[in-house]
Amino acid sequence: MTSQKPKEIFLTTFKWILICVLIGIFSGSASAFFLVSLEFVTQFRIHHDWIVWFLPFGGLLVGLSYYYWGESVVKGNNLLLEEYENPQKIIPFKMAPLVLFGTLITHLFGGSAGREGTAVQMGGAIADQFTKIFKLDNSERKILIILGISAGFASVFGTPLAGAIFALEVLYFSKINLKSILLSFLVAYVAYFTVEFWQVKHTHYSIPEIPQISISTIFYTIIIGVLSGLAALLFSRSTHFWGSLFSKIKYPPLRPFIGGIILAIAIAGFGFTKFSGLGVPEIVDSFSNQNQWYDFLLKILFTGFTLGAGFKGGEVTPLFFVGATLGSALSVIIPMPIALLAGLGFVAVFSGATHTPITCTIMGLELFGLQPGIFIAVACIVAYFSSGSVGIYKSQIVSKNKFQFFKFQNPIANENSKN
């Protein structure tokens, strides 16, 4: 019996390393293909702005594809969270091509959406297929879901540390075991280097000027954190509101069709093209030029409406847009460098909307360097506590400590915690 133990440990270790490598390579390759395709459709839309008038038909196409083939995966990221909390059945692989198709169609025709949801869902769907291959039980399936989320996030943003932490934090740290933590970091780096292997580049941001740490600069950082948390709260509420409103339309494919008509008129008819797609050029610009005070509000409106209507994509890059433009606009009243303000808003709004302050602090360090680390950490933590208990993921369970801080609670989280 004792002679078998080292062999079993070796085989188990080898199995999980192999799984991490395979998930990392497949998810990283899927993200690389997605990023290249996303850049292609984005450039096509920019150079053919008339295409936005076909957004209703793109929405109808997305709606029909999910209505007839994707009913079991329509919950998207929330399905991953639910399967982790209460494993039922393997996530269908069709989630990956469906969300890829839906996101590319959304961006091609000008919908306001992100990309993290797509990469995470592809990663989760790819990872869960190894349940059958390696005949894993439900507890091991949970690890696979962590690995899929980690690989997808790390590869799409080029932030392996943040990707590994995000997968753990968004699934509620206290229910994560040590093995999951180690494997999450391994798969994140495999996925990250896979994208690097395919020579797909990520956007780089810079904060060239960092002020001295003082009572006044920390005070201003707290103000930014509070405002970012409130913006995150508004973003989450907006997305849920439009989703509930469109759910009143009984035939699901009509939801993005009708939403597409309204969006096309708003974007093309009223010149709101800067709020379509990811908005990466606007994010980069906000680090050096002051934005209008209402830009972040319009991005919240357009993204919440787009996703609520049934178009596909993520929320995180729009959250970056919201935070960066909010921080940039605050430069008119807060005496801190505009790039630092934009960077703090960039990560703080994300922190508040996803309830992941540790992830966002790590991401800020990966993107902007170590120098602004104290400011980043303060902004992310304050935004986390200022954003309420309802985030962009309805099925996410939030730390009870945060619930005690607020009088109102997330009924979905409460119900899940009882199960």
Side-chain angles (χ1 to χ4, degrees):
M1 190 76 177
T2 53
S3 61
Q4 290 289 331
K5 194 171 182 181
K7 181 179 179 181
E8 291 173 4
I9 293 173
F10 172 79
L11 290 176
T12 300
T13 302
F14 177 78
K15 177 184 75 173
W16 281 106
I17 291 176
L18 177 62
I19 289 173
C20 284
V21 171
L22 292 174
I23 292 175
I25 291 174
F26 290 142
S27 296
S29 298
S31 289
F33 176 78
F34 170 53
L35 289 171
V36 171
S37 303
L38 185 58
E39 178 64 17
F40 174 79
V41 298
T42 299
Q43 291 302 319
F44 186 89
R45 186 191 72 244
I46 291 173
H47 293 96
H48 305 84
D49 53 6
W50 48 264
I51 201 171
V52 73
W53 290 110
F54 290 90
L55 185 58
F57 302 102
L60 182 62
L61 197 58
V62 173
L64 288 171
S65 65
Y66 271 83
Y67 184 71
Y68 286 105
W69 298 295
E71 186 178 358
S72 60
V73 297
V74 73
K75 290 183 179 180
N77 287 351
N78 286 303
L79 178 61
L80 300 179
L81 300 180
E82 290 173 8
E83 282 296 322
Y84 178 85
E85 184 64 24
N86 184 26
Q88 297 292 327
K89 58 182 180 179
I90 296 173
I91 296 168
F93 179 76
K94 63 183 177 182
M95 171 184 268
L98 277 171
V99 74
L100 174 65
F101 170 76
T103 303
L104 293 178
I105 290 295
T106 297
H107 283 277
L108 173 63
F109 294 107
S112 176
R115 55 193 173 183
E116 128 283 339
T118 306
V120 166
Q121 289 173 51
M122 289 194 300
I126 290 170
D128 211 12
Q129 305 314 304
F130 289 96
T131 300
K132 294 177 289 188
I133 297 173
F134 289 91
K135 298 179 181 178
L136 305 179
D137 58 28
N138 279 340
S139 64
E140 293 174 314
R141 265 200 72 210
K142 289 190 172 189
I143 298 177
L144 286 183
I145 292 173
I146 292 174
L147 299 183
I149 294 174
S150 176
F153 192 98
S155 58
V156 81
F157 289 123
T159 53
L161 283 175
I165 297 294
F166 177 78
L168 302 170
E169 193 174 15
V170 79
L171 292 170
Y172 196 15
F173 262 118
S174 67
K175 296 187 177 182
I176 304 296
N177 59 45
L178 178 61
K179 182 166 74 172
S180 300
I181 295 173
L182 297 175
L183 295 175
S184 181
F185 278 92
L186 175 59
V187 77
Y189 274 94
V190 173
Y192 167 75
F193 283 116
T194 299
V195 174
E196 292 288 301
F197 172 80
W198 291 116
Q199 298 183 349
V200 177
K201 302 302 179 184
H202 297 93
T203 306
H204 293 282
Y205 305 93
S206 174
I207 302 178
E209 183 183 355
I210 310 296
Q212 293 292 323
I213 298 173
S214 64
I215 294 177
S216 61
T217 54
I218 293 297
F219 172 76
Y220 290 132
T221 302
I222 292 173
I223 296 299
I224 295 167
V226 170
L227 294 176
S228 296
L230 294 176
L233 174 61
L234 182 60
F235 186 100
S236 300
R237 296 282 185 179
S238 172
T239 303
H240 300 329
F241 168 78
W242 290 115
S244 298
L245 186 64
F246 274 99
S247 68
K248 298 182 186 300
I249 301 174
K250 298 305 179 184
Y251 185 57
L254 283 180
R255 297 169 190 169
F257 178 75
I258 294 172
I261 294 174
I262 297 172
L263 282 170
I265 294 172
I267 293 171
F270 292 90
F272 288 127
T273 54
K274 68 183 288 186
F275 302 105
S276 61
L278 290 172
V280 171
E282 286 72 24
I283 297 174
V284 173
D285 184 68
S286 68
F287 279 72
S288 55
N289 297 303
Q290 182 186 322
N291 282 88
Q292 297 295 330
W293 66 268
Y294 50 79
D295 282 350
F296 80 98
L297 291 172
L298 288 175
K299 187 62 174 179
I300 290 175
L301 174 63
F302 277 93
T303 304
F305 191 90
T306 298
L307 298 178
F311 287 92
K312 297 302 172 183
E315 299 93 345
V316 173
T317 305
L319 286 169
F320 293 161
F321 186 115
V322 171
T325 54
L326 171 61
S328 175
L330 288 172
S331 64
V332 72
I333 58 174
I334 295 181
M336 293 174 71
I338 187 172
L340 177 61
L341 293 173
L344 294 180
F346 183 107
V347 290
V349 173
F350 176 31
S351 171
T354 58
H355 308 302
T356 56
I358 301 174
T359 296
C360 297
T361 299
I362 297 296
M363 172 175 267
L365 297 178
E366 287 188 284
L367 292 175
F368 309 130
L370 298 177
Q371 279 189 303
I374 296 297
F375 299 112
I376 290 169
V378 170
C380 289
I381 292 170
V382 172
Y384 167 73
F385 281 110
S386 303
S387 62
S389 56
V390 177
I392 56 176
Y393 307 129
K394 288 183 177 181
S395 299
Q396 183 184 16
I397 294 179
V398 186
S399 171
K400 292 180 181 178
N401 292 331
K402 188 174 184 182
F403 287 141
Q404 293 168 0
F405 188 82
F406 289 95
K407 296 233 177 146
F408 64 97
Q409 298 189 0
N410 183 350
I412 297 173
N414 288 340
E415 184 179 341
N416 284 342
S417 63
K418 293 176 183 177
N419 294 334

